[in-house]
Amino acid sequence: MARIVMKFGGTSVADLERIHNVARHVKREVDAGHEVAVVVSAMSGKTNELVGWVQNTPKVAKADSPFYDAREYDAVVASGEQVTSGLLAIALQSLGVNARSWQGWQIPIRTDNAHGAARILDIDGAELIRRMQDGQVAVVAGFQGLGPDNRIATLGRGGSDTSAVAIAAAVKADRCDIYTDVDGVYTTDPRIEPKARRLKKVVFEEMLEMASLGSKVLQVRSVELAMVHKVRTFVRSSFEDPDAPGMGDLLNPPGTLICDEEEIVEQEVVTGIAFAKDEAQISLRRLADRPGVSAAIFGPLAEAHINVDMIVQNISEDGSRTDMTFTVPTGDLDKALKVLDEQKDKVGFDVIQSESGLVKVSVIGIGMRSHAGVAAQAFSALAAKGINIKAITTSEIKISILIDGAYGELAVRTLHSAYGLDKK
Ligand code: ADP
Ligand code: ASP
Ligand code: MG
């Protein structure tokens, strides 16, 4: 007997037929004698629709509008998960499985006050555990919790993954299975590169990089929580026959295990390629080269909640002026330019240049720590395809390259094959 948390994403609960299929996956584990908690997303497309409604409501509009109320955004967008949790509980009951739905506030899942992008602070798992021990399946609405103001708070897009891992940690589950529309984590997004290979295991650190560099298969925060709380997390498919052989395997279920480095027997140098679309580049030309300038640029951007990435500063030629380039999400470009313009006198630059519609392609692998020449290989592969590089940043286990958006998919496929990741 084990305790298992099963999470089903939007496409897995997209309609009543799929919800019924999910119920069969859950029943399989219950029939095997396991204690089960389930976390569900909203039906696919639902959250986008709800976000669209909020954004098109007069006076609420965008997050930087003075009328915008993030608490009401949360009240609206959290509703998608309320629907699917109830529907799945009904589907389970119709299969003879004892089940009930739980909203975030009922457990409660306590979060901080950052409405729209809240972080889970604490989950009281006692009641869930008691009910599970009594044989009742807990069907938990993902993506939502209760803020310190006693109002619904949502966890940021893709947040049901984080709900699932956090609940798994809180109820001390033996395993957390993230069921989605692919049968595991691949060397890159299989929708972009059909030659992508499924990985049997991925190290936490690599999965963190992949998620934060654009692979939306798992929300970044869920990987952080799995790593910190040592939650045994698998990514697997909900589209397979729930009763196919091996689906109920307790130790080696089909899919990809996210795990510690020690569990990997043969480590490749490069594990995967991630990419993030809709990046924009900002360059400040002939900037004063003196202490405090970077703080004067990035402080106000941070205060405006603009996520800055890939910062590159040139070495000054004459010791007095330099250039600074960095990227922001395209959606934040106008806001960022406005903030910078207000800082112009303080920062002392000549001109701002910007470009949107760029793509950041990243090569990830912990094997890079001990191998030289990995970056050079990427540069020559891209050069051979005539792809121009606009900016480069590296860390111990990743190389990120900024290029024109038109070449994004070509770059992903080029790098995928350059590092020998293509399916044989
Ligand atoms: P869910 O609704 O189940 O949460 P998501 O759409 O959030 O599903 O995540 C699954 C998707 O992630 C896949 O359909 C796939 O296109 C995408 N994806 C991106 N990178 C990868 C990768 N490296 N491996 C697997 N899937 C990936
Ligand atoms: N439904 C939410 C979203 O679309 C949360 C999730 O699916 O994980 O972002
Ligand atoms: Mg998701």
Side-chain angles (χ1 to χ4, degrees):
M1 202 272 296
R3 185 173 290 160
I4 301 176
V5 172
M6 308 170 76
K7 180 259 173 178
F8 295 90
T11 39
S12 306
V13 293
D15 55 38
L16 295 181
E17 203 181 315
R18 291 203 183 148
I19 290 176
H20 180 75
N21 186 57
V22 163
R24 289 180 55 215
H25 278 286
V26 176
K27 184 172 170 14
R28 178 191 66 233
E29 306 296 352
V30 172
D31 287 349
H34 304 313
E35 292 173 6
V36 179
V38 187
V39 174
V40 284
S41 291
M43 292 180 177
S44 71
K46 193 64 193 176
T47 309
N48 286 345
E49 183 185 42
L50 295 168
V51 170
W53 286 350
V54 173
Q55 287 177 344
N56 290 316
T57 300
K59 295 197 173 172
V60 175
K62 295 244 158 58
D64 51 2
S65 144
F67 298 106
Y68 181 82
D69 186 339
R71 293 160 302 187
E72 301 306 352
Y73 166 97
D74 279 347
V76 176
V77 303
S79 65
E81 274 73 9
Q82 176 162 343
V83 172
T84 46
S85 60
L87 289 174
L88 179 59
I90 294 170
L92 283 165
Q93 289 165 6
S94 75
L95 292 180
V97 176
N98 178 9
R100 74 152 272 190
S101 66
W102 292 86
Q103 306 310 301
W105 60 268
Q106 290 171 315
I107 292 175
I109 296 175
R110 292 273 173 198
T111 72
D112 66 11
N113 210 16
H115 282 277
R119 280 166 82 93
I120 295 177
L121 299 178
D122 181 53
I123 299 180
D124 183 352
E127 184 61 14
L128 288 185
I129 292 174
R130 202 181 62 72
R131 303 260 189 145
M132 285 160 82
Q133 284 171 336
D134 274 358
Q136 188 177 61
V137 173
V139 186
V140 181
F143 184 48
Q144 50 165 279
L146 186 66
D149 52 2
N150 259 355
R151 300 191 60 175
I152 296 172
T154 62
L155 309 179
R157 298 307 303 271
S160 298
D161 298 328
T162 301
S163 310
V165 175
I167 286 171
V171 303
K172 301 191 174 50
D174 298 288
R175 217 172 73 201
C176 180
D177 288 358
I178 307 284
Y179 286 81
T180 181
D181 54 6
V182 280
D183 59 357
V185 177
Y186 279 69
T187 46
T188 193
D189 189 341
R191 289 180 207 279
I192 302 298
E193 175 51 281
K195 286 190 231 138
R197 264 190 292 127
R198 184 160 63 88
L199 297 158
K200 196 75 200 115
K201 293 178 178 175
V202 183
V203 176
F204 283 123
E205 286 85 353
E206 292 173 329
M207 195 63 235
L208 261 184
E209 291 285 3
M210 285 171 81
S212 58
L213 294 168
S215 305
K216 68 162 187 167
V217 61
L218 287 177
Q219 198 197 34
V220 181
R221 182 79 184 126
S222 71
V223 186
E224 283 172 2
L225 286 181
M227 189 159 111
V228 171
H229 296 285
K230 302 231 169 292
V231 177
R232 207 166 170 76
T233 304
F234 285 86
V235 175
R236 54 186 297 189
S237 168
S238 72
F239 289 93
E240 282 159 43
D241 176 0
D243 301 312
M247 289 297 281
D249 192 319
L250 188 58
L251 294 177
N252 281 306
T256 302
L257 172 66
I258 322 294
C259 61
D260 280 326
E261 206 171 333
E262 292 78 59
E263 285 200 53
I264 306 266
V265 186
E266 261 181 87
Q267 181 63 49
E268 308 279 347
V269 178
V270 169
T271 305
I273 314 289
F275 62 96
K277 288 193 232 166
D278 299 324
E279 301 277 315
Q281 173 180 299
I282 298 179
S283 297
L284 302 177
R285 300 287 178 208
R286 296 191 46 75
L287 186 71
D289 188 15
R290 56 175 158 73
V293 167
S294 295
I297 297 171
F298 298 114
L301 289 172
E303 274 162 36
H305 302 289
I306 296 170
N307 221 339
V308 175
D309 187 33
M310 293 191 92
I311 304 173
V312 184
Q313 185 189 319
N314 282 353
I315 303 282
S316 171
E317 213 174 301
D318 59 3
S320 72
R321 299 261 152 188
T322 182
D323 290 338
M324 176 93 81
T325 297
F326 53 90
T327 58
V328 297
T330 292
D332 285 342
L333 179 60
D334 289 344
K335 192 159 125 189
L337 292 175
K338 199 165 146 245
V339 169
L340 291 167
D341 203 50
E342 284 160 9
Q343 298 297 315
K344 189 163 188 206
D345 291 341
K346 210 160 155 199
V347 179
F349 53 84
D350 268 4
V351 271
I352 307 187
Q353 291 167 329
S354 67
E355 191 180 357
S356 56
L358 307 180
V359 166
K360 180 176 65 178
V361 186
S362 305
V363 178
I364 297 144
I366 52 170
M368 271 184 218
R369 287 183 191 141
S370 49
H371 278 77
V374 183
Q377 214 177 332
F379 306 149
S380 46
L382 295 176
K385 296 281 186 216
I387 300 173
N388 188 40
I389 297 174
K390 292 176 179 289
I392 304 163
T393 52
T394 60
S395 78
E396 229 188 354
I397 65 165
K398 72 117 205 266
I399 306 152
S400 290
I401 300 168
L402 190 69
I403 58 169
D404 194 291
Y407 298 104
E409 296 193 4
L410 176 64
V412 169
R413 289 194 283 264
T414 301
L415 294 174
H416 196 265
S417 100
Y419 290 104
L421 298 174
D422 287 358
K423 198 155 49 188
K424 299 288 179 303

